[in-house]
Amino acid sequence: QLFFDLSTANKDFHGILVSGSKDRAEAIDSGGLLLMHAGDNTDKYQFNTNPKIIFDAGGQVSVFNGTDAFAVFGSDTKKINTYTLKESPAATDATVYEGNLYVLSGNHIYKYADAVTGGTKRTDWGGDDTAGEQISITADGNVYTLTGDGKLIEFFKGKKTAGFDLQLSPSPGSRVFAFKDSAFLYLTDKTAKRVYVFDKTNGELKTAYKLDAAGTINDASVSADGTIWILSSVNKIWTIR
């Protein structure tokens, strides 16, 4: 279903990120302009950092530039706070869980506790250098990483606890999503125009969605209620519910 036509915003959202939560979606352009659309309303807010990764967690939209800048927009205050992370590594991917930022860099995971409220201190959280190149990270209490050859690695408290072969080869830029109250793990592959849904306890493929009807895809994301969000190259946001 078509959720929102961003072409009316007269901005280029090509190659930028989108995330969704229930009946709200956010998109951000290369200059850090955030559009938040819900119902008949579209609000605009300006971040002052390069938006490499965008997160939506409980009404707080966070933007990470992939190195040292982490900015948080509060939907209640309508204000943006920007923090400078200490000892920041170059991120392959990152995720936010319960206010903490987990950064995947060089097959290692670093944690910034309470990042959404200003925590900037880095701790060495863990990782596994034997599993191949890891390209994406997500968390639901456990932390999961996806390797470039389709392996899923599960960690708890910094230690590897399980690993599954998902029996596919994800394209570069593929990402994984997991949620605390969901039995499933999602893999979005915007190049292949697919979203795969796995049982996160054993890696079994449960279903797959074809996104071909959306045309060329700039980004795809999943929200906690299982809604799939697709940002097309013609600046339209589509959903699968």
Side-chain angles (χ1 to χ4, degrees):
Q1 294 181 334
L2 179 65
F3 182 80
F4 185 51
D5 186 347
L6 282 168
S7 61
T8 59
N10 296 318
K11 287 285 183 177
D12 182 10
F13 291 88
H14 179 73
I16 308 302
L17 304 164
V18 63
S19 66
S21 177
K22 294 184 179 179
D23 294 319
R24 184 182 72 249
E26 299 92 28
I28 194 164
D29 76 355
S30 57
L33 176 66
L34 174 75
L35 267 66
M36 181 179 292
H37 181 78
D40 296 325
N41 298 318
T42 303
D43 298 317
K44 300 179 181 179
Y45 305 95
Q46 182 66 53
F47 285 89
N48 293 316
T49 186
N50 172 36
K52 181 177 179 180
I53 308 172
I54 178 174
F55 314 95
D56 183 333
Q60 291 182 311
V61 179
S62 305
V63 168
F64 180 40
N65 72 348
T67 54
D68 61 344
F70 186 74
V72 182
F73 166 79
S75 58
D76 52 347
T77 63
K78 308 299 182 185
K79 294 182 179 179
I80 296 174
N81 294 312
T82 303
Y83 308 106
T84 301
L85 303 177
K86 298 176 181 178
E87 301 179 90
S88 54
T92 304
D93 193 19
T95 191
V96 171
Y97 178 71
E98 293 192 342
N100 305 312
L101 174 67
Y102 295 86
V103 177
L104 175 65
S105 177
N107 286 358
H108 208 77
I109 301 168
Y110 302 94
K111 179 181 178 179
Y112 290 87
D114 303 316
V116 298
T117 53
T120 60
K121 183 180 179 181
R122 188 186 88 175
T123 57
D124 190 342
W125 190 82
D128 183 0
D129 288 328
T130 68
E133 180 188 11
Q134 293 158 54
I135 61 174
S136 185
I137 185 172
T138 188
D140 64 356
N142 296 321
V143 171
Y144 306 86
T145 60
L146 173 71
T147 69
D149 59 355
K151 305 294 194 307
L152 182 71
I153 309 167
E154 178 184 310
F155 300 91
F156 181 69
K157 294 185 177 180
K159 303 296 183 182
K160 179 180 176 180
T161 54
F164 309 110
D165 187 344
L166 301 180
Q167 303 294 320
L168 53 76
S169 297
S171 305
S174 295
R175 300 190 68 199
V176 284
F177 299 86
F179 306 98
K180 185 176 181 180
D181 297 321
S182 172
F184 305 113
L185 181 136
Y186 301 82
L187 190 159
T188 62
D189 188 328
K190 61 184 180 182
T191 302
K193 301 180 184 180
R194 296 290 186 272
V195 174
Y196 303 94
V197 184
F198 299 92
D199 184 324
K200 65 185 177 185
T201 63
N202 58 19
E204 178 186 354
L205 179 66
K206 306 303 289 185
T207 192
Y209 295 94
K210 296 181 179 181
L211 311 183
D212 303 75
T216 301
I217 296 170
N218 285 347
D219 199 31
S221 182
V222 182
S223 54
D225 63 350
T227 300
I228 297 167
W229 301 83
I230 304 125
L231 175 64
S232 74
S233 63
V234 293
N235 288 347
K236 291 184 178 180
I237 296 178
W238 301 86
T239 63
I240 300 174
R241 299 180 188 272

